[in-house]
Amino acid sequence: MTKHELEYQEHLLPLTREELVARLREALSPKRFAHVCRVEQTAIQLAEQNGVDVEKASIAGLCHDYAKQRPDQDFIDVIHAKQMDPDLLNYGNAIWHGVVGAEMIKDELGVGDEDILNAIRQHTVGSNYMTKLAQIVYMADYIEPGRDFPGVEAARQITAQDLGAGVAYQTQHTLEYLIHKGQPVYPQTLVTYNAWVPKYQKENH
Ligand code: GDP
Ligand code: FE
Ligand code: FE
């Protein structure tokens, strides 16, 4: 079976891969659509290398930025309707499209698998505990072949050797970047930093 004919297991998603791809093409600009396709392929490779369910990696990779181009008001409405943490209202699209976007992915696309939804919730800000699937989506988003920033090659090499070390690398560099730019840091980003970065520093020295 080619990847295009792939029927996802019913309990993961009631759509074929082709139907899901069509939904994403509708929801996203061509550039963003190309990004989610590359994240899917990178996530599948990392799943094969790390013994993780490839179908879950495909679905999570494709869906992770589904909500990225929605207007702010859509997220604000969901935060209120689902009585999510009101502190979310102090942030913006960068945080919302994963944390709040997962709710739209559940309700609008029918993704019911909590492992996939958590990976999507955590794809920007991480978490103290991340499943291998969540680590894969977090890293695939950062190192997909279209990414080009100083350090991306190091991130690719580290991730190929040790997925968790890749998570630590990205978390440290994202926090450095946010601080350098004077951007607000979402509390969970700091939680992720404390859970992952010192641990890998110790192991590497
Ligand atoms: P993308 O959706 O594929 O562009 O990638 P991400 O979802 O990983 O990241 C979206 C943006 O959120 C990036 O520019 C990150 O630097 C930024 N970001 C990550 N963590 C935080 C945070 O704690 N606070 C803020 N303000 N931005 C963050
Ligand atoms: Fe994203
Ligand atoms: Fe992304």
Side-chain angles (χ1 to χ4, degrees):
M1 194 192 285
T2 71
K3 66 182 186 185
H4 297 289
E5 297 163 77
L6 183 63
E7 287 249 12
Y8 293 125
Q9 288 179 61
E10 185 76 26
H11 72 281
L12 294 181
L13 185 67
L15 301 175
T16 64
R17 181 181 177 282
E18 207 166 346
E19 288 166 340
L20 177 59
V21 164
R23 293 291 300 272
L24 288 156
R25 204 192 294 274
E26 248 170 58
L28 300 173
S29 70
K31 262 195 179 168
R32 183 60 53 180
F33 174 73
H35 162 70
V36 301
C37 292
R38 291 191 300 266
V39 171
E40 182 207 18
Q41 293 310 307
T42 306
I44 288 173
Q45 281 171 20
L46 290 173
E48 284 167 348
Q49 289 161 13
N50 290 279
V52 167
D53 186 314
V54 167
E55 277 188 43
K56 289 191 185 190
S58 164
I59 295 169
L62 284 171
C63 293
H64 81 285
D65 278 342
Y66 167 74
K68 183 92 178 181
Q69 291 169 324
R70 298 284 281 258
D72 287 356
Q73 193 59 48
D74 285 17
F75 294 106
I76 294 165
D77 290 346
V78 172
I79 292 165
H80 290 308
K82 301 221 171 189
Q83 300 180 342
M84 298 179 80
D85 182 355
D87 182 47
L88 279 165
L89 296 168
N90 297 316
Y91 294 85
N93 179 281
I95 303 303
W96 293 341
H97 79 280
V99 176
V100 186
E103 302 303 318
M104 298 167 174
I105 291 159
K106 176 156 74 175
D107 295 345
E108 298 173 19
L109 299 178
V111 175
D113 184 85
E114 277 299 316
D115 199 21
I116 296 175
L117 293 171
N118 280 329
I120 293 169
R121 286 185 182 108
Q122 295 168 6
H123 91 262
T124 309
V125 297
S127 179
N128 58 339
Y129 177 75
M130 296 167 79
T131 63
K132 288 250 187 260
L133 179 70
Q135 294 176 45
I136 283 171
V137 176
Y138 187 76
M139 290 321 301
D141 191 22
Y142 194 63
I143 65 171
E144 59 93 343
R147 294 288 196 203
D148 184 16
F149 55 84
V152 71
E153 223 17 84
R156 288 182 180 124
Q157 281 171 21
I158 291 164
T159 306
Q161 282 171 8
D162 180 343
L163 187 58
V167 172
Y169 183 93
Q170 174 179 176
T171 301
Q172 181 165 6
H173 287 84
T174 299
L175 188 57
E176 280 171 4
Y177 170 83
L178 293 169
I179 289 170
H180 180 71
K181 294 264 169 188
Q183 294 287 310
V185 178
Y186 188 62
Q188 195 172 320
T189 302
L190 282 174
V191 168
T192 306
Y193 175 87
N194 282 325
W196 290 87
V197 177
K199 181 173 141 207
Y200 278 90
Q201 289 295 321
K202 268 189 221 128
E203 285 176 13
N204 289 332
H205 287 281

